[in-house]
Amino acid sequence: MMLGSDVSSLTATAKTAAAQGLSIVVPVYNEAAGLVALHQRLIDLASSLRARYGLTCEVVYVDDGSADNTLAIARGLPADGLDLQVVSLSRNFGKEAALMAGLDHARRGAVLFMDGDGQHPPTLVEQLVAHWIDDGYDVVYTAKANRDNESALRRLSVRGFYALINWGARQKIPEDAGDFRLLSPRAALALRQLPERNRFFKGLASWIGFRQIRVDYEPAPRAHGVTTFNAGRLIGLSIEGLTSFSVAPLRFASLLGALLAGAAFLFGLSILWEVLTTGKQVPGYPSLMIGVMTIGGVQLIMIGIVGEYIGKILSELKARPIYFVAEHTEKHADGGAAQGATERTAAE
């Protein structure tokens, strides 16, 4: 039985890569105000890529349960120079599920992920495509050039997160890398074959390997609205990434337990030494209470860490679908009639 996957048949040369086309996956959540402008920029991008590389493009909008009229606007967007798919999920499943839904529905060879808030500049896509077609890279990922506009606490938290998640990892996750990235056909196929339901795209896209290159950029300011990723959601996403992709918290728990055990042993020796040398016994109540509270608190933290991993195991064993598609609409750039919206009762 073969436990790996052979994707060597999808190896592309500069001559054949363009023929496979590019799918642009854009998860959207309450982006009605800027969706028309973003789509026009993608139309211009598709025209430029077609003129430069002969590259055919499609865009896959994944509506992640928006509460505004994002879906209605997406349905009315024109397929002008590129194919258009609108995938509407039955509720808000989160960005990771929306990215997976877009990857599942992408019908071209290479896949590009970008946000729908306009902060990922479409003009940078040509550079990403050049690294794929001209230079032969399979994964072209972007990263923030700097974090000068962020607070010192947030910068420190980000560094701590990447240090922890990469601790002992064989395949490191690049610091500051985002979801704005391009995958070659074989890299996209490899990512589709990963079976886990608790997905952390930044980690998985690095784990698959292949030739990868980093492109630094400055995110554009949001043209409308405010980000929904507040401190609480960012902490939740960090915990999700750590427990889904790394065993570093468990290793940290083991080391902390070993340190506490060593400290307790040394403290016991100091008490024994004082009794033997002076004959005085140390009053026990304060030291006992401090020790009990410290060990009890650490034990509760460790139980919580283990519980996070047990929760992930339970989620994988339940094998629930990552998402459900409520509506799927297609339009073709060749002028063909759009397929009617179809109701789905199972995840695609």
Side-chain angles (χ1 to χ4, degrees), residues 233-314:
R233 292 192 64 180
L234 287 174
I235 292 174
L237 180 61
S238 299
I239 295 175
E240 181 76 21
L242 283 171
T243 54
S244 296
F245 196 77
S246 172
V247 294
L250 294 177
R251 292 177 179 173
F252 177 77
S254 299
L255 287 177
L256 183 58
L259 288 175
L260 285 176
F265 178 73
L266 293 176
F267 183 60
L269 288 180
S270 68
I271 294 175
L272 180 60
W273 175 258
E274 186 169 356
V275 171
L276 293 177
T277 55
T278 65
K280 297 180 180 179
Q281 295 186 6
V282 179
Y285 182 75
S287 58
L288 177 63
M289 289 304 299
I290 291 174
V292 169
M293 292 175 65
T294 300
I295 294 175
V298 170
Q299 285 179 334
L300 289 176
I301 293 173
M302 300 311 141
I303 290 173
I305 292 175
V306 174
E308 287 284 344
Y309 283 93
I310 293 175
K312 292 293 185 297
I313 295 172
L314 178 62

Side-chain angles (χ1 to χ4, degrees), residues 129-170:
V129 172
H131 281 305
W132 163 47
I133 294 179
D134 297 334
D135 303 331
Y137 285 96
D138 290 289
V139 179
V140 188
Y141 64 91
T142 63
K144 287 185 177 180
N146 61 75
R147 292 183 175 270
D148 295 340
N149 60 337
E150 298 179 0
S151 66
L153 177 60
R154 177 155 182 170
R155 292 198 299 269
L156 182 62
S157 299
V158 169
R159 290 182 180 178
F161 168 76
Y162 281 103
L164 185 59
I165 200 171
N166 287 326
W167 180 28
R170 179 172 297 180

Side-chain angles (χ1 to χ4, degrees), residues 34-46 61 77-78 80 122:
L35 192 56
V36 173
L38 174 64
H39 187 67
Q40 183 58 52
R41 295 171 72 186
L42 293 180
I43 289 175
D44 297 338
L45 170 66
Y61 291 111
L77 295 173
D80 185 4

